[in-house]
Amino acid sequence: MDSSSRKFVFITGGVVSSIGKGVAAASLAALLESRGIRVTLVKLDPYINIDPGMMSPLQHGEVFVTEDGAETDLDLGHYERFITARMGKRNNFTTGQIYNSVLAKERRGDYLGMTVQVIPHITDEIKSWIYAGAGDAEVTLVEVGGTVGDIESQPFLEAIRQIRLDRGRMDTCFVHLSYVPYLEAAGEIKTKPTQHSVKEARQIGIQPDVLICRMSHPLQEVERRKLALFCNVESEAVISCTDVDSIYKVPGLLNRQGLDELVCKKLGLTTMHSDLSKWETLIYKKENFTHEVNIAMVGKYVSLTDAYKSVNEALIHAGIHIRAKVNVYPIDSEQLNEDNLHVLDGMDAILVPGGFGPRGVEGKLRAIEYARTRRKPFFGICFGMQLAVTEFARNVAGWKGASSTELCADTCFPVVSLISRARADSNSVLTPDVDTNGVMRLGAHKFTIEASSLLSEIYGRSEALERHRHRYEVTPSYLPDLVKAGLRISAHSADDKRFCEAVELIDHPWFIGVQFHPEFSSTPSTPNPLFRSFIEAALVHQRFTKVEQCAVVA
Ligand code: GLN
């Protein structure tokens, strides 16, 4: 598409972080998409890291992996769950990547001896990356990470200010999402922090066109007028985004206040009416659950739901479709021992998500053994699958001390070991941290599913595509012996490398480990089949247990 006809909505944040800028941006994008507009989203992260790949989930939350193998901010997960466009390497970039690129150009002599400066070189680079991320979308929503006023986000704000100047009002719209606190003691909301953050934005040349107020109480008319007056925004452009019990209610909440209508008007877009039926159906199902299941999520970042964001969402999606309220019980694997393993008794199924490093591993192995021996549905994702193989090797095959070389470098049975460079593929990246031989296998890879496996029943086809993020794999030379001991290898990568992609237990109702991350491809309208089947298995287990308990009582 002709780049001059593309339009941009910039979303900035004010007052505090973590007020749901990603969800607000994704919701507005979903509303515009429902009007027939081709949309995409771009996230700008002001930190210096090249990407969040090496950042702690405790600080940064989950690393969302795109089909083309980018390790990105978790907001890209929201984007994919709200709109149909798939995200990729170009939809998320950081200050680190911008400087990296500018410095490489400087070394190549591209700047012809000029002094390289934030303006125009860094800002030009940011602008060209925004345009690249926009691709052929008619409207691109650009979320600027951080909060207006942060030192590190200034070049990004300067770049979007310039884009407004370059392209004009009809092609750009500034949306500012701010936090409006409610003071219990005063019994009223306080608009001053928002006034200050808008003032801050105006100081750098950005006058918001729309103000979205994150707040706990609905906005009263008098407060709306006050915010409009002090922030120099039209009254109808002050939108409130109150707390809701599901992020999937946000598109409807914003639509009812005319946000998408307003943005279309500002951008001069004549479109069809928005169609919210998809979201309404979801909410209806979500509010009319007929069942309830309890899932134990055994991991090490249990206090932070953001660390396993996509897994939590994928469980919710599956639940919505089978009308089951999914209660996820985070269980800290570091605290799980023989004396308290009974916490798993009341659970209908157990999930061990992805992870890195030895901390908390013994607890995870205990939970896996419990699920295997008590015939409770078990779902192991990536590290969860590698540990399921380890547990099987130790306790079923009888290989004492079997382990992953990630956990014990000199184990006598390295059933899980580093992917060698020779086995790497085009999406793999060398990981600079530990072992220069190690590569991170990233992105979507096709795999072949074994006929008559539970996995083939679940996917209903012989091939599927899911995303990966791992440096270790089940050691290929151990596969024949693991199979002999009774482990079923239910999927292999479809390439000639034949990575072990999934395992299952034949004499267990539902015990599956997958090397890939099925959570990344789950959306509220199309839940991933594995999660769906897992929740169904949890329900079956629950019914079975109830019948058993009744039988004992009788
Ligand atoms: N630490 C494991 C590996 O690198 C698993 C990674 C993950 O769970 N994403 O292979």
Side-chain angles (χ1 to χ4, degrees), residues 354-357 381-383 386 406 469-472 515 517:
F356 291 83
I381 297 176
C382 201
F383 200 37
Q386 295 171 359
E406 180 176 5
R469 180 176 183 243
H470 61 121
R471 297 172 71 226
Y472 294 81
Q515 185 57 77
H517 290 266

Side-chain angles (χ1 to χ4, degrees), residues 21 50 94 102 146 173 177 179 206 248 327 381 411 445 506:
K21 214 168 350 121
I50 292 289
T94 67
V102 167
C173 177
L177 180 81
Y179 178 60
I206 294 173
Y248 302 118
N327 304 317
I381 297 176
T411 164
H445 294 273
I506 299 158

